[in-house]
Amino acid sequence: MGVVALPARRVRVGRAPPDRTHCAERQSALEKSVWCFAEELGDEDIDPCLGTTFDSLSEAYDFYNLYSWEHDFGIRYGKSRLNSAKTKCIQELVCGCSGKPTGENTRSCHCECPAMIRLLRSADNGCYNTEHRVTHNHVLMETCGEIAF
């Protein structure tokens, strides 16, 4: 009889601090972008410039997802880091083609694309953009519904 291996259990480390509470006077980066789009102030309404603040990581993901949709590429969560209190302090949102391919002759879309934004947690449990790499090393999609394969 062989030994049956149990699936690895994911270890949960620490507890994430609550997201920053939304202030009525402060307009989020996502809200600003949507309002600019509605008022048609420019060609590109969503710009993840350095220092852009967000109330939560999910809001930052939604913001960068809209940016990627506007520029015809997909995104995913990338590397993250934990601080000494075991809470997430750095999160990268990367192009869907980032990372190394699994094999030499595969149909993988991974081509080590450098496009990404890096988010740091602020003192009030929000997050802000500290790095934005714009360039891609692959062909971008023609339409929003196009599949990479």
Side-chain angles (χ1 to χ4, degrees):
M1 279 194 168
V3 178
V4 178
L6 297 175
R9 294 183 73 182
R10 195 166 136 187
V11 178
R12 303 253 181 223
V13 181
R15 184 174 165 89
D19 292 332
R20 176 170 64 184
T21 55
H22 182 69
C23 180
E25 299 91 46
R26 185 180 64 238
Q27 191 177 31
S28 72
L30 192 57
E31 288 176 305
K32 287 178 191 175
S33 299
V34 171
W35 278 108
C36 287
F37 179 76
E39 295 171 0
E40 297 180 277
L41 296 177
D43 294 336
E44 290 187 14
D45 299 312
I46 300 172
D47 182 26
C49 59
L50 299 182
T52 305
T53 60
F54 304 99
D55 289 335
S56 64
L57 283 175
S58 62
E59 181 187 335
Y61 184 89
D62 292 340
F63 179 82
Y64 195 55
N65 195 27
L66 282 174
Y67 172 80
S68 70
W69 184 77
E70 194 174 71
H71 292 273
D72 301 324
F73 68 97
I75 66 166
R76 63 183 174 85
Y77 285 104
K79 295 178 185 176
S80 63
R81 300 282 186 266
L82 301 177
N83 60 13
S84 60
K86 306 287 189 203
T87 59
K88 194 179 288 188
C89 60
I90 297 175
Q91 177 70 57
E92 291 180 354
L93 301 176
V94 297
C95 175
C97 293
S98 71
K100 293 186 178 185
T102 54
E104 206 172 298
N105 294 324
T106 63
R107 291 183 52 160
S108 172
C109 67
H110 296 295
C111 61
E112 301 183 31
C113 180
M116 54 87 81
I117 64 170
R118 180 171 290 138
L119 303 164
L120 294 182
R121 186 166 293 278
S122 59
D124 60 352
N125 291 330
C127 58
Y128 61 97
N129 185 8
T130 59
E131 185 177 351
H132 179 217
R133 296 185 200 156
V134 181
T135 57
H136 294 266
N137 63 356
H138 57 90
V139 177
L140 299 178
M141 294 182 253
E142 293 294 323
T143 63
C144 298
E146 184 179 338
I147 299 173
F149 295 105

